PDB file of all heavy atoms in Angstrom:
ATOM      1  N   VAL A   1      11.956   9.837   2.985  1.00 98.00           N
ATOM      2  CA  VAL A   1      10.654   9.360   3.467  1.00 98.00           C
ATOM      3  C   VAL A   1       9.564   9.626   2.441  1.00 98.00           C
ATOM      4  O   VAL A   1       8.795   8.725   2.056  1.00 98.00           O
ATOM      5  CB  VAL A   1      10.302  10.030   4.808  1.00 98.00           C
ATOM      6  CG1 VAL A   1       8.867   9.687   5.223  1.00 98.00           C
ATOM      7  CG2 VAL A   1      11.277   9.598   5.895  1.00 98.00           C
ATOM      8  N   TYR A   2       9.481  10.872   1.967  1.00 98.00           N
ATOM      9  CA  TYR A   2       8.342  11.262   1.141  1.00 98.00           C
ATOM     10  C   TYR A   2       8.456  10.764  -0.293  1.00 98.00           C
ATOM     11  O   TYR A   2       7.449  10.391  -0.911  1.00 98.00           O
ATOM     12  CB  TYR A   2       8.184  12.786   1.165  1.00 98.00           C
ATOM     13  CG  TYR A   2       7.959  13.348   2.551  1.00 98.00           C
ATOM     14  CD1 TYR A   2       8.499  14.582   2.928  1.00 98.00           C
ATOM     15  CD2 TYR A   2       7.235  12.631   3.502  1.00 98.00           C
ATOM     16  CE1 TYR A   2       8.310  15.091   4.202  1.00 98.00           C
ATOM     17  CE2 TYR A   2       7.039  13.142   4.780  1.00 98.00           C
ATOM     18  CZ  TYR A   2       7.576  14.376   5.120  1.00 98.00           C
ATOM     19  OH  TYR A   2       7.388  14.875   6.386  1.00 98.00           O
ATOM     20  N   VAL A   3       9.674  10.750  -0.852  1.00 98.00           N
ATOM     21  CA  VAL A   3       9.845  10.207  -2.202  1.00 98.00           C
ATOM     22  C   VAL A   3       9.461   8.732  -2.228  1.00 98.00           C
ATOM     23  O   VAL A   3       8.727   8.270  -3.120  1.00 98.00           O
ATOM     24  CB  VAL A   3      11.291  10.401  -2.696  1.00 98.00           C
ATOM     25  CG1 VAL A   3      11.553   9.547  -3.932  1.00 98.00           C
ATOM     26  CG2 VAL A   3      11.556  11.866  -3.031  1.00 98.00           C
ATOM     27  N   THR A   4       9.936   7.988  -1.239  1.00 98.00           N
ATOM     28  CA  THR A   4       9.586   6.571  -1.171  1.00 98.00           C
ATOM     29  C   THR A   4       8.083   6.387  -1.021  1.00 98.00           C
ATOM     30  O   THR A   4       7.477   5.558  -1.711  1.00 98.00           O
ATOM     31  CB  THR A   4      10.311   5.900   0.008  1.00 98.00           C
ATOM     32  OG1 THR A   4      11.718   6.098  -0.122  1.00 98.00           O
ATOM     33  CG2 THR A   4      10.012   4.411   0.048  1.00 98.00           C
ATOM     34  N   SER A   5       7.482   7.134  -0.119  1.00 98.00           N
ATOM     35  CA  SER A   5       6.034   7.036   0.094  1.00 98.00           C
ATOM     36  C   SER A   5       5.280   7.318  -1.196  1.00 98.00           C
ATOM     37  O   SER A   5       4.350   6.584  -1.568  1.00 98.00           O
ATOM     38  CB  SER A   5       5.605   8.015   1.189  1.00 98.00           C
ATOM     39  OG  SER A   5       6.241   7.738   2.417  1.00 98.00           O
ATOM     40  N   PHE A   6       5.666   8.358  -1.900  1.00 98.00           N
ATOM     41  CA  PHE A   6       4.971   8.776  -3.115  1.00 98.00           C
ATOM     42  C   PHE A   6       5.170   7.779  -4.255  1.00 98.00           C
ATOM     43  O   PHE A   6       4.204   7.337  -4.891  1.00 98.00           O
ATOM     44  CB  PHE A   6       5.471  10.163  -3.520  1.00 98.00           C
ATOM     45  CG  PHE A   6       4.836  10.713  -4.761  1.00 98.00           C
ATOM     46  CD1 PHE A   6       3.597  11.313  -4.716  1.00 98.00           C
ATOM     47  CD2 PHE A   6       5.495  10.637  -5.991  1.00 98.00           C
ATOM     48  CE1 PHE A   6       3.009  11.821  -5.858  1.00 98.00           C
ATOM     49  CE2 PHE A   6       4.915  11.145  -7.136  1.00 98.00           C
ATOM     50  CZ  PHE A   6       3.669  11.734  -7.077  1.00 98.00           C
ATOM     51  N   PHE A   7       6.411   7.400  -4.525  1.00 98.00           N
ATOM     52  CA  PHE A   7       6.700   6.546  -5.677  1.00 98.00           C
ATOM     53  C   PHE A   7       6.197   5.114  -5.479  1.00 98.00           C
ATOM     54  O   PHE A   7       5.658   4.510  -6.402  1.00 98.00           O
ATOM     55  CB  PHE A   7       8.198   6.550  -5.988  1.00 98.00           C
ATOM     56  CG  PHE A   7       8.648   7.762  -6.751  1.00 98.00           C
ATOM     57  CD1 PHE A   7       8.942   8.944  -6.102  1.00 98.00           C
ATOM     58  CD2 PHE A   7       8.759   7.735  -8.132  1.00 98.00           C
ATOM     59  CE1 PHE A   7       9.354  10.074  -6.803  1.00 98.00           C
ATOM     60  CE2 PHE A   7       9.160   8.860  -8.849  1.00 98.00           C
ATOM     61  CZ  PHE A   7       9.453  10.026  -8.188  1.00 98.00           C
ATOM     62  N   VAL A   8       6.381   4.566  -4.287  1.00 98.00           N
ATOM     63  CA  VAL A   8       5.873   3.213  -4.034  1.00 98.00           C
ATOM     64  C   VAL A   8       4.355   3.198  -4.117  1.00 98.00           C
ATOM     65  O   VAL A   8       3.758   2.272  -4.688  1.00 98.00           O
ATOM     66  CB  VAL A   8       6.365   2.689  -2.672  1.00 98.00           C
ATOM     67  CG1 VAL A   8       5.667   1.379  -2.311  1.00 98.00           C
ATOM     68  CG2 VAL A   8       7.874   2.486  -2.688  1.00 98.00           C
ATOM     69  N   ALA A   9       3.707   4.201  -3.563  1.00 98.00           N
ATOM     70  CA  ALA A   9       2.243   4.273  -3.640  1.00 98.00           C
ATOM     71  C   ALA A   9       1.775   4.368  -5.093  1.00 98.00           C
ATOM     72  O   ALA A   9       0.764   3.746  -5.470  1.00 98.00           O
ATOM     73  CB  ALA A   9       1.738   5.470  -2.840  1.00 98.00           C
ATOM     74  N   ALA A  10       2.472   5.142  -5.909  1.00 98.00           N
ATOM     75  CA  ALA A  10       2.095   5.249  -7.324  1.00 98.00           C
ATOM     76  C   ALA A  10       2.262   3.904  -8.027  1.00 98.00           C
ATOM     77  O   ALA A  10       1.418   3.506  -8.849  1.00 98.00           O
ATOM     78  CB  ALA A  10       2.944   6.320  -8.011  1.00 98.00           C
ATOM     79  N   ALA A  11       3.336   3.182  -7.704  1.00 97.00           N
ATOM     80  CA  ALA A  11       3.587   1.891  -8.351  1.00 97.00           C
ATOM     81  C   ALA A  11       2.572   0.835  -7.930  1.00 97.00           C
ATOM     82  O   ALA A  11       2.221  -0.053  -8.715  1.00 97.00           O
ATOM     83  CB  ALA A  11       4.998   1.416  -8.028  1.00 97.00           C
ATOM     84  N   MET A  12       2.067   0.913  -6.698  1.00 97.00           N
ATOM     85  CA  MET A  12       1.173  -0.110  -6.166  1.00 97.00           C
ATOM     86  C   MET A  12      -0.290   0.306  -6.200  1.00 97.00           C
ATOM     87  O   MET A  12      -1.150  -0.430  -5.706  1.00 97.00           O
ATOM     88  CB  MET A  12       1.581  -0.433  -4.718  1.00 97.00           C
ATOM     89  CG  MET A  12       3.029  -0.835  -4.539  1.00 97.00           C
ATOM     90  SD  MET A  12       3.510  -2.231  -5.591  1.00 97.00           S
ATOM     91  CE  MET A  12       2.659  -3.575  -4.764  1.00 97.00           C
ATOM     92  N   ALA A  13      -0.584   1.452  -6.796  1.00 96.00           N
ATOM     93  CA  ALA A  13      -1.941   2.007  -6.736  1.00 96.00           C
ATOM     94  C   ALA A  13      -2.995   1.058  -7.278  1.00 96.00           C
ATOM     95  O   ALA A  13      -4.103   0.958  -6.733  1.00 96.00           O
ATOM     96  CB  ALA A  13      -1.992   3.337  -7.491  1.00 96.00           C
ATOM     97  N   MET A  14      -2.690   0.342  -8.353  1.00 95.00           N
ATOM     98  CA  MET A  14      -3.669  -0.504  -9.020  1.00 95.00           C
ATOM     99  C   MET A  14      -3.510  -1.980  -8.662  1.00 95.00           C
ATOM    100  O   MET A  14      -4.122  -2.836  -9.305  1.00 95.00           O
ATOM    101  CB  MET A  14      -3.552  -0.316 -10.536  1.00 95.00           C
ATOM    102  CG  MET A  14      -3.704   1.134 -10.998  1.00 95.00           C
ATOM    103  SD  MET A  14      -5.323   1.820 -10.604  1.00 95.00           S
ATOM    104  CE  MET A  14      -6.365   0.799 -11.625  1.00 95.00           C
ATOM    105  N   ARG A  15      -2.711  -2.295  -7.662  1.00 96.00           N
ATOM    106  CA  ARG A  15      -2.444  -3.685  -7.290  1.00 96.00           C
ATOM    107  C   ARG A  15      -3.429  -4.131  -6.214  1.00 96.00           C
ATOM    108  O   ARG A  15      -3.299  -3.772  -5.040  1.00 96.00           O
ATOM    109  CB  ARG A  15      -1.016  -3.815  -6.765  1.00 96.00           C
ATOM    110  CG  ARG A  15       0.039  -3.308  -7.730  1.00 96.00           C
ATOM    111  CD  ARG A  15       0.497  -4.419  -8.622  1.00 96.00           C
ATOM    112  NE  ARG A  15       1.384  -3.924  -9.674  1.00 96.00           N
ATOM    113  CZ  ARG A  15       2.146  -4.706 -10.410  1.00 96.00           C
ATOM    114  NH1 ARG A  15       2.127  -6.012 -10.207  1.00 96.00           N
ATOM    115  NH2 ARG A  15       2.902  -4.192 -11.363  1.00 96.00           N
ATOM    116  N   ASN A  16      -4.412  -4.927  -6.594  1.00 95.00           N
ATOM    117  CA  ASN A  16      -5.412  -5.375  -5.626  1.00 95.00           C
ATOM    118  C   ASN A  16      -4.800  -6.219  -4.513  1.00 95.00           C
ATOM    119  O   ASN A  16      -5.238  -6.149  -3.362  1.00 95.00           O
ATOM    120  CB  ASN A  16      -6.509  -6.164  -6.335  1.00 95.00           C
ATOM    121  CG  ASN A  16      -7.375  -5.279  -7.220  1.00 95.00           C
ATOM    122  OD1 ASN A  16      -7.539  -4.094  -6.945  1.00 95.00           O
ATOM    123  ND2 ASN A  16      -7.912  -5.842  -8.287  1.00 95.00           N
ATOM    124  N   ASP A  17      -3.767  -7.018  -4.846  1.00 95.00           N
ATOM    125  CA  ASP A  17      -3.146  -7.849  -3.816  1.00 95.00           C
ATOM    126  C   ASP A  17      -2.461  -7.002  -2.758  1.00 95.00           C
ATOM    127  O   ASP A  17      -2.447  -7.349  -1.565  1.00 95.00           O
ATOM    128  CB  ASP A  17      -2.163  -8.834  -4.440  1.00 95.00           C
ATOM    129  CG  ASP A  17      -1.167  -8.174  -5.386  1.00 95.00           C
ATOM    130  OD1 ASP A  17      -1.382  -6.993  -5.738  1.00 95.00           O
ATOM    131  OD2 ASP A  17      -0.180  -8.835  -5.778  1.00 95.00           O
ATOM    132  N   TYR A  18      -1.912  -5.870  -3.158  1.00 96.00           N
ATOM    133  CA  TYR A  18      -1.285  -4.938  -2.215  1.00 96.00           C
ATOM    134  C   TYR A  18      -2.321  -4.375  -1.252  1.00 96.00           C
ATOM    135  O   TYR A  18      -2.120  -4.371  -0.029  1.00 96.00           O
ATOM    136  CB  TYR A  18      -0.595  -3.826  -3.009  1.00 96.00           C
ATOM    137  CG  TYR A  18      -0.154  -2.624  -2.213  1.00 96.00           C
ATOM    138  CD1 TYR A  18       1.024  -2.643  -1.478  1.00 96.00           C
ATOM    139  CD2 TYR A  18      -0.893  -1.443  -2.239  1.00 96.00           C
ATOM    140  CE1 TYR A  18       1.451  -1.533  -0.765  1.00 96.00           C
ATOM    141  CE2 TYR A  18      -0.482  -0.322  -1.536  1.00 96.00           C
ATOM    142  CZ  TYR A  18       0.688  -0.370  -0.795  1.00 96.00           C
ATOM    143  OH  TYR A  18       1.103   0.739  -0.096  1.00 96.00           O
ATOM    144  N   TRP A  19      -3.436  -3.918  -1.788  1.00 97.00           N
ATOM    145  CA  TRP A  19      -4.483  -3.357  -0.940  1.00 97.00           C
ATOM    146  C   TRP A  19      -5.155  -4.422  -0.094  1.00 97.00           C
ATOM    147  O   TRP A  19      -5.547  -4.160   1.052  1.00 97.00           O
ATOM    148  CB  TRP A  19      -5.492  -2.591  -1.789  1.00 97.00           C
ATOM    149  CG  TRP A  19      -4.895  -1.319  -2.311  1.00 97.00           C
ATOM    150  CD1 TRP A  19      -4.407  -1.068  -3.559  1.00 97.00           C
ATOM    151  CD2 TRP A  19      -4.676  -0.130  -1.552  1.00 97.00           C
ATOM    152  NE1 TRP A  19      -3.896   0.201  -3.629  1.00 97.00           N
ATOM    153  CE2 TRP A  19      -4.050   0.809  -2.425  1.00 97.00           C
ATOM    154  CE3 TRP A  19      -4.939   0.251  -0.249  1.00 97.00           C
ATOM    155  CZ2 TRP A  19      -3.702   2.079  -2.001  1.00 97.00           C
ATOM    156  CZ3 TRP A  19      -4.585   1.524   0.175  1.00 97.00           C
ATOM    157  CH2 TRP A  19      -3.964   2.426  -0.703  1.00 97.00           C
ATOM    158  N   ASP A  20      -5.278  -5.625  -0.620  1.00 97.00           N
ATOM    159  CA  ASP A  20      -5.810  -6.723   0.190  1.00 97.00           C
ATOM    160  C   ASP A  20      -4.908  -7.020   1.376  1.00 97.00           C
ATOM    161  O   ASP A  20      -5.383  -7.294   2.490  1.00 97.00           O
ATOM    162  CB  ASP A  20      -5.970  -7.989  -0.663  1.00 97.00           C
ATOM    163  CG  ASP A  20      -7.091  -7.873  -1.687  1.00 97.00           C
ATOM    164  OD1 ASP A  20      -7.946  -6.974  -1.531  1.00 97.00           O
ATOM    165  OD2 ASP A  20      -7.097  -8.673  -2.651  1.00 97.00           O
ATOM    166  N   ALA A  21      -3.594  -6.963   1.145  1.00 97.00           N
ATOM    167  CA  ALA A  21      -2.647  -7.203   2.240  1.00 97.00           C
ATOM    168  C   ALA A  21      -2.765  -6.114   3.308  1.00 97.00           C
ATOM    169  O   ALA A  21      -2.688  -6.402   4.511  1.00 97.00           O
ATOM    170  CB  ALA A  21      -1.226  -7.272   1.692  1.00 97.00           C
ATOM    171  N   ILE A  22      -2.945  -4.863   2.888  1.00 98.00           N
ATOM    172  CA  ILE A  22      -3.116  -3.773   3.846  1.00 98.00           C
ATOM    173  C   ILE A  22      -4.376  -3.998   4.679  1.00 98.00           C
ATOM    174  O   ILE A  22      -4.371  -3.831   5.909  1.00 98.00           O
ATOM    175  CB  ILE A  22      -3.156  -2.419   3.109  1.00 98.00           C
ATOM    176  CG1 ILE A  22      -1.747  -2.026   2.674  1.00 98.00           C
ATOM    177  CG2 ILE A  22      -3.760  -1.328   4.000  1.00 98.00           C
ATOM    178  CD1 ILE A  22      -1.671  -0.714   1.933  1.00 98.00           C
ATOM    179  N   VAL A  23      -5.468  -4.381   4.014  1.00 98.00           N
ATOM    180  CA  VAL A  23      -6.711  -4.645   4.743  1.00 98.00           C
ATOM    181  C   VAL A  23      -6.512  -5.801   5.723  1.00 98.00           C
ATOM    182  O   VAL A  23      -6.950  -5.745   6.884  1.00 98.00           O
ATOM    183  CB  VAL A  23      -7.853  -4.944   3.753  1.00 98.00           C
ATOM    184  CG1 VAL A  23      -9.085  -5.464   4.493  1.00 98.00           C
ATOM    185  CG2 VAL A  23      -8.214  -3.688   2.969  1.00 98.00           C
ATOM    186  N   ASN A  24      -5.851  -6.853   5.289  1.00 98.00           N
ATOM    187  CA  ASN A  24      -5.661  -8.030   6.146  1.00 98.00           C
ATOM    188  C   ASN A  24      -4.775  -7.748   7.356  1.00 98.00           C
ATOM    189  O   ASN A  24      -4.928  -8.390   8.401  1.00 98.00           O
ATOM    190  CB  ASN A  24      -5.062  -9.179   5.331  1.00 98.00           C
ATOM    191  CG  ASN A  24      -6.021  -9.722   4.292  1.00 98.00           C
ATOM    192  OD1 ASN A  24      -7.251  -9.583   4.433  1.00 98.00           O
ATOM    193  ND2 ASN A  24      -5.493 -10.319   3.241  1.00 98.00           N
ATOM    194  N   MET A  25      -3.870  -6.784   7.225  1.00 98.00           N
ATOM    195  CA  MET A  25      -2.938  -6.486   8.316  1.00 98.00           C
ATOM    196  C   MET A  25      -3.389  -5.300   9.160  1.00 98.00           C
ATOM    197  O   MET A  25      -2.631  -4.818  10.016  1.00 98.00           O
ATOM    198  CB  MET A  25      -1.544  -6.218   7.751  1.00 98.00           C
ATOM    199  CG  MET A  25      -0.881  -7.405   7.076  1.00 98.00           C
ATOM    200  SD  MET A  25      -0.758  -8.857   8.159  1.00 98.00           S
ATOM    201  CE  MET A  25       0.352  -8.255   9.414  1.00 98.00           C
ATOM    202  N   ARG A  26      -4.606  -4.830   8.960  1.00 98.00           N
ATOM    203  CA  ARG A  26      -5.041  -3.624   9.660  1.00 98.00           C
ATOM    204  C   ARG A  26      -5.114  -3.821  11.180  1.00 98.00           C
ATOM    205  O   ARG A  26      -4.761  -2.912  11.943  1.00 98.00           O
ATOM    206  CB  ARG A  26      -6.395  -3.144   9.123  1.00 98.00           C
ATOM    207  CG  ARG A  26      -7.576  -4.042   9.450  1.00 98.00           C
ATOM    208  CD  ARG A  26      -8.806  -3.623   8.654  1.00 98.00           C
ATOM    209  NE  ARG A  26      -9.995  -4.381   9.057  1.00 98.00           N
ATOM    210  CZ  ARG A  26     -10.277  -5.613   8.637  1.00 98.00           C
ATOM    211  NH1 ARG A  26      -9.450  -6.223   7.802  1.00 98.00           N
ATOM    212  NH2 ARG A  26     -11.379  -6.209   9.046  1.00 98.00           N
ATOM    213  N   ARG A  27      -5.539  -4.997  11.643  1.00 98.00           N
ATOM    214  CA  ARG A  27      -5.657  -5.219  13.090  1.00 98.00           C
ATOM    215  C   ARG A  27      -4.293  -5.280  13.768  1.00 98.00           C
ATOM    216  O   ARG A  27      -4.077  -4.567  14.766  1.00 98.00           O
ATOM    217  CB  ARG A  27      -6.471  -6.487  13.364  1.00 98.00           C
ATOM    218  CG  ARG A  27      -7.939  -6.358  12.993  1.00 98.00           C
ATOM    219  CD  ARG A  27      -8.738  -7.562  13.459  1.00 98.00           C
ATOM    220  NE  ARG A  27     -10.127  -7.480  13.039  1.00 98.00           N
ATOM    221  CZ  ARG A  27     -10.603  -7.972  11.908  1.00 98.00           C
ATOM    222  NH1 ARG A  27      -9.776  -8.606  11.059  1.00 98.00           N
ATOM    223  NH2 ARG A  27     -11.871  -7.859  11.594  1.00 98.00           N
ATOM    224  N   PRO A  28      -3.360  -6.133  13.305  1.00 98.00           N
ATOM    225  CA  PRO A  28      -2.027  -6.095  13.945  1.00 98.00           C
ATOM    226  C   PRO A  28      -1.354  -4.735  13.810  1.00 98.00           C
ATOM    227  O   PRO A  28      -0.614  -4.311  14.711  1.00 98.00           O
ATOM    228  CB  PRO A  28      -1.245  -7.190  13.208  1.00 98.00           C
ATOM    229  CG  PRO A  28      -2.041  -7.549  12.012  1.00 98.00           C
ATOM    230  CD  PRO A  28      -3.457  -7.220  12.322  1.00 98.00           C
ATOM    231  N   ALA A  29      -1.610  -4.034  12.699  1.00 98.00           N
ATOM    232  CA  ALA A  29      -1.036  -2.693  12.543  1.00 98.00           C
ATOM    233  C   ALA A  29      -1.588  -1.747  13.598  1.00 98.00           C
ATOM    234  O   ALA A  29      -0.843  -0.946  14.192  1.00 98.00           O
ATOM    235  CB  ALA A  29      -1.329  -2.158  11.142  1.00 98.00           C
TER     236      ALA A  29
END
């Protein structure tokens, strides 16, 4: 759980499209 959480977050940290998707899915989430 934690290795995946940490490594994926590090890989996607600078990806604006990733963060935009998180913002867009906040209501259904």
Side-chain angles (χ1 to χ4, degrees):
V1 172
Y2 300 144
V3 166
T4 304
S5 300
F6 180 81
F7 280 83
V8 171
M12 305 305 288
M14 304 298 295
R15 305 270 173 165
N16 290 331
D17 51 348
Y18 167 80
W19 289 101
D20 290 343
I22 284 180
V23 170
N24 292 336
M25 295 304 295
R26 69 191 186 279
R27 291 188 183 91

